[in-house]
Amino acid sequence: MNGKPLIGLNADYRAAKKDSPAFTYLCAGYYDCLIKVGAIPVILPPLPDVKDLRLALDHLDGFILIGGADLDSRRDGFMLHPSMRLMDPRREDFDRMLVSEIARRQMPVLGIGAGMQLLNVSQGGNLSLHIPEDFPRAVPHADPLDPNHRHALEVVPGSLMERVYGEGEIRVNSMHHMAVDDVAPGFRVTARCPDGVIEAIESVMDDWFAIGTQFHPEADSASALDLRIFEEFLLGATGTVAEMRMVA
């Protein structure tokens, strides 16, 4: 690979209101973390045409699916839950097209928060729609009064998460009410909260480097160690890209 890798980022979207125009926005932590680990972030707006999306992805070395509001569970054959706060349909339309194209070309990908949930459902997994109901004994996974709310994390030996965090007690931020339930075929769980809620997954397929975290390593509430997730993603992405180019 020549030069710094180009890593794509999707973005959030808010439709026009009476007092403001429509706009696209993104938490700076996502691109700040990529810059810190030596990548060039490339932000994609919600493109309507798959041909334009494919052209953009042709120039990228990997992609990060960002977090956000809730996915519309009706699109996956489930009812809505009263607790859901849905992302804008324009963003969700694009995100679902995006993850489908990423999977088709097996592009290196890191899904964060809702991005991990989308990665999982797009590949045949499903979601818990409200942790307090589905896991009554679960610890709190969100605290509206504490943006720095954290809980413990148990990592699976031999996983990317273990390479990031090593041994010992780990705590990560937590700001979600939905979570991965059944893991998609081709993926495995690599970290859980001690209450059993899934907090990280990764691909077990030899030809697709794909990982996801339910917690947010890019957020202000993240620890310095969380940055290593981006380092590991970049290593995996650039290695995968180099192998693909050698084959080509």
Side-chain angles (χ1 to χ4, degrees), residues 37 53 60 76 90 158:
V37 299
L53 172 61
L60 301 179
D76 301 302
R90 182 174 176 183

Side-chain angles (χ1 to χ4, degrees), residues 149-163:
H149 176 70
R150 304 176 78 81
H151 62 59
L153 189 73
E154 296 176 347
V155 301
V156 174
S159 66
L160 182 144
M161 288 294 107
E162 186 188 43
R163 293 202 302 272

Side-chain angles (χ1 to χ4, degrees), residues 111-114 116-117 176 178-180 198-200 212-216:
I112 297 175
M116 180 180 93
Q117 295 172 10
H176 61 108
M178 294 173 65
V180 168
I198 295 172
E199 293 287 335
T213 66
Q214 183 60 65
F215 55 95
H216 286 257

Side-chain angles (χ1 to χ4, degrees), residues 13-23 25 88:
Y13 176 82
R14 197 185 82 175
K17 298 182 178 181
K18 290 183 179 180
D19 59 345
S20 64
F23 62 90
Y25 58 101
D88 189 277

